[in-house]
Amino acid sequence: MTTTIPLQNYQRYGRQMILDGFGLPGQIKLHQASVVVVGAGGLGCPALQYLGAVGLGRLGIVDHDRVELSNLQRQILHNEDTLGMYKAESAALALKRMNSGLNIDVMTIALTADNALSLLRPYDVILDCTDNAATRYLLSDAAVALNKPLVSGAAQKFEGQLCVYNLGPTGPCYRCLYPTPPPLDAVGSCEELGVLGVVTGIIGNMQALETIKIILGTNGTIFSFEA
């Protein structure tokens, strides 16, 4: 097992390594960890930005959508130069500019029942940064099948919510709390209802924080936010 890190990593990550209870052991845990983020949009962008900055060993990005002008109000890793590019590729490009040493898996495909287990299996923690109920249930079921924690975020209008599912032997899953999917006409999207961009930023950053806590071995939490 690795017990050292390169000298430049002490320089890059020194401000977090001097934290009480973090130190070199915490940085090594992050270096050995792998995280997959499903959705490189309003929630995924801020989560990816800080996970990319913290020193993770491997980071996966799953998103089959392309960057549109309407995304730039909240999806902070994308810009006018990446319009039309796959969001996963655009996000990876931005992260590499920040930290060229990142090990990033770019997956420009839709998550489905057929590929979910194979795509998510290599990672220690799964982040749900999507915006539809069907994918939330799919991610929850996959996390349970793989026995992996799921850090789920949601944002709409002026409100956001963060939950950590399937954490430990007694942690509930999404389906435990919501056994029956809502009717399709009862669930609106950001496109239909709107969202304040800073709300997605707050929730996405909190997802990154909870992910780091899980990797370091502290307890996950359930957190809700309302502006």
Side-chain angles (χ1 to χ4, degrees):
M1 180 178 295
T2 302
T3 57
T4 61
I5 59 175
L7 176 60
Q8 64 179 9
N9 284 9
Y10 286 94
Q11 299 169 334
R12 181 184 287 269
Y13 305 118
R15 295 299 187 272
Q16 63 198 34
M17 290 176 64
I18 62 175
L19 292 169
D20 292 339
F22 196 111
L24 178 60
Q27 194 61 48
I28 290 174
K29 285 182 179 180
L30 291 172
H31 179 70
Q32 294 173 341
S34 57
V35 175
V36 60
V37 177
V38 183
L43 298 170
C45 281
L48 284 164
Q49 185 175 40
Y50 276 94
L51 290 173
V54 80
L56 285 177
R58 184 180 181 188
L59 190 57
I61 310 173
V62 182
D63 199 315
H64 69 291
D65 286 339
R66 294 180 182 269
V67 180
E68 300 177 357
L69 187 60
S70 62
N71 301 147
L72 303 188
Q73 166 253 7
R74 63 200 178 281
Q75 301 181 18
I76 57 173
L77 292 182
H78 312 310
N79 59 68
E80 293 179 0
D81 291 335
T82 63
L83 290 174
M85 184 182 294
Y86 281 112
K87 290 182 180 180
E89 293 178 344
S90 172
L93 185 64
L95 294 175
K96 283 284 191 177
R97 288 195 183 112
M98 174 185 65
N99 188 347
S100 61
L102 279 176
N103 182 12
I104 305 176
D105 301 324
V106 176
M107 292 163 272
T108 58
I109 58 176
L111 192 80
T112 68
D114 293 329
N115 65 22
L117 295 182
S118 62
L119 290 180
L120 304 177
R121 181 175 284 111
Y123 302 92
D124 300 317
V125 185
I126 303 167
L127 270 69
D128 177 3
C129 296
T130 65
D131 61 358
N132 67 85
T135 306
R136 292 192 186 282
Y137 281 97
L138 174 59
L139 282 170
S140 179
D141 294 344
V144 170
L146 295 170
N147 193 28
K148 298 180 186 292
L150 175 66
V151 183
S152 179
Q156 201 169 81
K157 296 184 178 180
F158 299 98
E159 301 178 359
Q161 185 180 64
L162 167 69
C163 293
V164 178
Y165 297 114
N166 202 47
L167 183 64
T170 60
C173 67
Y174 185 74
R175 197 178 289 277
C176 293
L177 301 183
Y178 307 101
T180 305
L184 292 178
D185 59 359
V187 181
S189 66
C190 291
E191 183 177 0
E192 297 167 330
L193 302 176
V195 64
L196 187 64
V198 69
V199 177
T200 66
I202 291 170
I203 300 301
N205 281 325
M206 290 299 298
Q207 287 183 266
L209 175 60
E210 291 303 317
T211 301
I212 293 166
K213 289 167 62 180
I214 291 169
I215 294 169
L216 295 180
T218 59
N219 291 330
T221 64
I222 294 180
F223 173 86
S224 63
F225 164 78
E226 183 172 345

